[in-house]
Amino acid sequence: MNVVKAAPPSICGFKPRDVESGPPATATAAAKLGFVKVNESNEIKSLGLSCGVDVGSRGLRPIKAMEDQTVSVKTDRSAINGKNLRQMSTAGNSTNIVWHKCAVEKLDRQRLLQQKGCVIWITGLSGSGKSTVACALSQGLHLRGKLTYILDGDNVRHGLNRDLGFNAEDRAENIRRIAEVAKLFADAGIICIASLISPYRKDRDACRALFPEGDFIEVFMDVPLNICENRDPKGLYKLARAGKIKGFTGVDDPYEPPLNCEIVLQQKGRDCVSPSSMAETVISYLEEKGYLQA
Ligand SMILES: Nc1ncnc2c1ncn2[C@@H]1O[C@H](COP(=O)(O)OS(=O)(=O)O)[C@@H](OP(=O)(O)O)[C@H]1O
Ligand SMILES: Nc1ncnc2c1ncn2[C@@H]1O[C@H](COP(=O)(O)OP(=O)(O)O)[C@@H](O)[C@H]1O
């Protein structure tokens, strides 16, 4: 039997950081919580007063604090003998980085929230109603007890993306960063609603590629330019027509409508479809695809 000696346990074996980072997934991690013995049959024997979490099954069950209790924990031997060094990887400009896995995973969070994490990507011209539908959708889901978060292009440009402008390269980076943030939200189990013009097909397709099949739900606000321009709530079309804003989408910059998106919300002619009925269309889709349950 190998004896792994670690720092003596605090009152309950957890330090605040251990609580934040979740329960131990391996014998090594468990050892950090106190004195433990690891035997050949993958059992950890607690030697001191400690409490832990049974990670042997997918559902996490807290273990009561008891003295000299033996708990079965699935240990990853490669984590103990250092074989996991093979998982070193390179991502972008970062080299020698290792993905750190936690025992509490997306499925656990989804079970807690009783929903599935995903991104609803709303694309369309300025003034087409993206932000309005995003809010109506968030409200509609909130009323059903579902957790959402909106990433609005305008708003994110006030902080995270304040260094970016509107040339094609900056728009691509704006969209890429928002997609990466949306991916984190979806991993948290949250229904993330991204509303931004995202005018280029290739940029939207690159976002889609970041997500598992089905989790990127593209919604096209199919509203003709003349309606958007008549609305002009911020007076930007007027400024663009007057030549005071250069490279304005739909005026002197392109917008490429989606070819194969999941949902089209159309506003044509005199018939006015309300934002809440548009939101209901999206909610029905989520219900049908099983996103509103774990
Ligand atoms: N040149 C130009 N073209 C288009 N839009 C412009 C421009 N300059 C400023 N704005 C305002 O910025 C909002 C669009 O930001 P996004 O982050 O959604 O744009 S993009 O996806 O990066 O293309 C957009 O907000 P919405 O009207 O809500 O779409 C505009 O208010
Ligand atoms: N379904 C709708 N019917 C009528 N007007 C709408 C609808 N959706 C949005 N609007 C109005 O259109 C304008 C632009 O909406 P907004 O959500 O700001 O668009 P975007 O975010 O695409 O720029 C706002 O004045 C809003 O009240």
Side-chain angles (χ1 to χ4, degrees):
M1 186 178 280
N2 308 315
V3 177
V4 183
K5 200 174 175 199
S10 55
I11 277 245
C12 189
F14 284 113
K15 290 172 280 170
R17 211 177 117 66
D18 293 319
V19 175
E20 272 170 30
S21 60
T26 65
T28 326
K32 284 184 191 154
L33 303 182
F35 292 96
V36 295
K37 281 181 184 173
V38 183
N39 64 22
E40 291 313 314
S41 55
N42 284 352
E43 280 179 343
I44 292 178
K45 192 170 164 67
S46 156
L47 296 182
L49 177 69
S50 71
C51 67
V53 176
D54 179 359
V55 292
S57 58
R58 282 221 41 76
L60 301 172
R61 282 173 289 133
I63 298 161
K64 278 201 193 123
M66 263 188 263
E67 270 192 64
D68 215 20
Q69 186 195 30
T70 302
V71 289
S72 268
V73 177
K74 226 168 133 192
T75 58
D76 176 0
R77 293 260 152 214
S78 65
I80 298 170
N81 64 22
K83 277 189 195 151
N84 61 337
L85 286 179
R86 273 183 292 155
Q87 290 166 3
M88 292 268 194
S89 62
T90 296
N93 291 332
S94 303
T95 50
N96 301 324
I97 48 171
V98 180
W99 185 270
H100 190 98
K101 219 169 171 315
C102 178
V104 181
E105 293 182 338
K106 185 180 181 185
L107 284 177
D108 304 302
R109 293 185 283 271
Q110 292 188 153
R111 215 170 285 141
L112 194 73
L113 295 169
Q114 284 301 303
Q115 62 185 50
K116 289 193 186 86
C118 61
V119 58
I120 295 155
W121 192 276
I122 307 178
T123 171
L125 291 169
S126 174
S128 59
K130 301 182 296 297
S131 308
T132 309
V133 168
C135 288
L137 180 57
S138 181
Q139 261 181 313
L141 288 169
H142 188 79
L143 285 172
R144 284 167 172 81
K146 303 300 164 192
L147 187 59
T148 63
Y149 194 80
I150 299 176
L151 296 172
D152 190 281
D154 257 332
N155 295 357
V156 181
R157 281 175 177 276
H158 279 80
L160 177 67
N161 290 348
R162 66 189 313 153
D163 56 323
L164 302 173
F166 288 93
N167 61 40
E169 199 180 65
D170 281 8
R171 287 186 201 251
E173 178 60 10
N174 177 42
I175 290 155
R176 188 194 69 81
R177 286 185 202 169
I178 292 183
E180 288 289 354
V181 175
K183 192 175 152 189
L184 296 176
F185 274 102
D187 188 51
I190 293 167
I191 298 171
C192 182
I193 306 165
S195 78
L196 57 164
I197 297 178
S198 40
Y200 298 109
R201 230 171 260 142
K202 75 166 169 39
D203 294 337
R204 294 192 303 264
D205 289 346
C207 298
R208 181 183 288 277
L210 292 175
F211 291 85
E213 181 80 33
D215 287 4
F216 182 86
I217 300 153
E218 192 174 356
V219 178
F220 173 39
M221 300 300 300
D222 187 8
V223 183
L225 178 64
N226 68 308
I227 294 185
C228 298
E229 199 161 350
N230 280 337
R231 289 177 178 169
D232 203 11
K234 301 169 193 157
L236 297 178
Y237 281 103
K238 207 167 171 202
L239 290 173
R241 292 291 180 199
K244 292 182 179 154
I245 299 178
K246 301 282 181 211
F248 196 80
T249 307
V251 175
D252 56 350
D253 224 46
Y255 178 81
E256 300 170 357
L259 299 175
N260 277 311
C261 62
E262 281 71 14
I263 301 171
V264 178
L265 299 176
Q266 236 175 20
Q267 193 75 272
K268 283 210 168 126
R270 284 166 195 271
D271 294 337
C272 182
V273 185
S274 73
S276 59
S277 103
M278 288 180 169
E280 283 305 321
T281 303
V282 180
I283 292 174
S284 300
Y285 179 92
L286 293 175
E287 237 156 22
E288 191 191 310
K289 299 285 177 189
Y291 282 92
L292 303 188
Q293 59 199 46

